[in-house]
Amino acid sequence: MSKKKVLITGATSGIGEACARKFAAAGYNVIITGRNAARLAALQAQLQQQGTEVLTLAFDVSDRQAARQAVEGIPPAWQPIDVLVNNAGLALGLDKVYEGHPEDWETMIDTNIKGLLTMTRLIVPAMVARNEGHVINIGSVAGDAAYAGGNVYCATKAAVKAITDGLRIDVADTAVRVTNVKPGLVETNFSVVRFHGDRQRADNVYRGITPLTGDDIADVCLYAAQAPKHVQIAEVLVLATHQASGSVICRQQN
């Protein structure tokens, strides 16, 4: 198994699934992780039919022990991991801080921040030891400035930016590269999760604008990973054409 290997968290849908498909098409062997074992198995079958070797790891990144067990159980043939895509993340609710639900806060913090830290701690030491590797963190335009109702989610993505910048400093004396990809409006299952399954409310998020797709963000991740070794794509902000920031969106009338 001489091909490069990429490990992608949250690969059962959206940006993570798109990354799995893009990296597979580019010749990588793919390790896909997520909480839904059935979805992982379905994606694995599809990618294998296309000639890609795929390893599935079903666990929740917010469960540190489960993550450690999964990573420590990766077969030697799947080592080393060349690229880590820390994609797993979610938003829950659009409540004012003083009306928010602590359970939603904890889930976002445990997944978006602690889960990313856990995977970084488990994978990056081997990259540093061999002086090679690439960490791609999926941040958000929400990490640049808060928007109405986004308070805690925005805070978690601001943390992703700070952690990514800090990691880049920590590995600057090595050849390990670190990238923060910050999407704007991307039409995935993201808003359905945010609104606890309310499909109509989720659809309204993208009303009057052509949003980005998971493929658009996966293209950026793959570009960063395939840049020459002396090139480090540190940070990329990717917005829909009629989106200027996390809170400025020009919706077109039908």
Side-chain angles (χ1 to χ4, degrees):
M1 191 181 295
S2 59
K3 292 182 178 179
K4 286 190 174 183
K5 303 164 195 70
V6 57
L7 189 155
I8 303 163
T9 67
T12 55
S13 64
I15 294 171
E17 179 182 348
C19 282
R21 295 185 186 280
K22 291 286 184 179
F23 276 85
Y28 285 74
N29 289 325
V30 180
I31 303 172
I32 50 175
T33 84
R35 294 175 297 175
N36 191 313
R39 288 185 182 178
L40 289 175
L43 180 57
Q44 179 184 37
Q46 292 173 20
L47 295 178
Q48 285 178 333
Q49 287 179 351
Q50 299 166 15
T52 301
E53 293 192 51
V54 183
L55 176 67
T56 64
L57 302 175
F59 67 94
D60 187 335
V61 295
S62 68
D63 184 335
R64 188 176 298 124
Q65 182 177 356
R68 181 183 299 111
Q69 290 176 345
V71 171
E72 290 179 351
I74 294 175
W78 281 88
Q79 303 285 354
I81 293 168
D82 299 284
V83 181
L84 167 64
V85 180
N86 275 318
N87 164 74
L90 75 167
L92 291 171
L94 269 177
D95 303 300
K96 298 179 187 296
V97 172
Y98 59 84
E99 296 174 340
H101 301 280
E103 297 83 2
D104 287 349
W105 301 343
E106 290 170 0
T107 299
M108 286 186 281
I109 291 168
D110 288 347
T111 304
N112 300 359
I113 302 176
K114 292 181 180 179
L116 180 146
L117 284 170
T118 293
M119 295 305 297
T120 300
R121 183 65 179 86
L122 290 170
I123 301 297
V124 174
M127 292 182 175
V128 171
R130 69 177 187 277
N131 196 37
E132 186 176 18
H134 196 158
V135 179
I136 301 175
N137 291 334
I138 304 300
S140 173
V141 63
D144 289 345
Y147 55 76
N151 41 73
V152 176
Y153 174 71
C154 293
T156 67
K157 289 304 184 177
V160 170
K161 173 176 171 52
I163 292 166
T164 306
D165 290 345
L167 177 61
R168 193 180 305 111
I169 293 168
D170 291 339
V171 300
D173 60 341
T174 76
V176 177
R177 301 184 295 182
V178 183
T179 300
N180 184 17
V181 178
K182 305 187 302 183
L185 280 177
V186 184
E187 189 168 12
T188 64
N189 203 43
F190 177 89
S191 291
V192 176
V193 173
R194 161 167 265 172
F195 297 124
H196 300 281
D198 187 333
R199 174 67 66 175
Q200 182 175 0
R201 193 176 178 193
D203 288 343
N204 283 336
V205 172
Y206 312 107
R207 177 182 48 79
I209 188 171
T210 301
L212 301 168
T213 67
D215 283 344
D216 295 326
I217 306 307
D219 282 336
V220 175
C221 293
L222 183 61
Y223 172 80
Q226 293 190 320
K229 288 188 176 182
H230 71 285
V231 177
Q232 179 172 216
I233 309 299
E235 186 171 287
V236 184
L237 175 64
V238 191
L239 302 176
T241 298
H242 293 291
Q243 178 179 18
S245 69
S247 57
V248 178
I249 300 168
C250 182
R251 300 184 187 276
Q252 307 299 300
Q253 298 297 321
N254 292 330

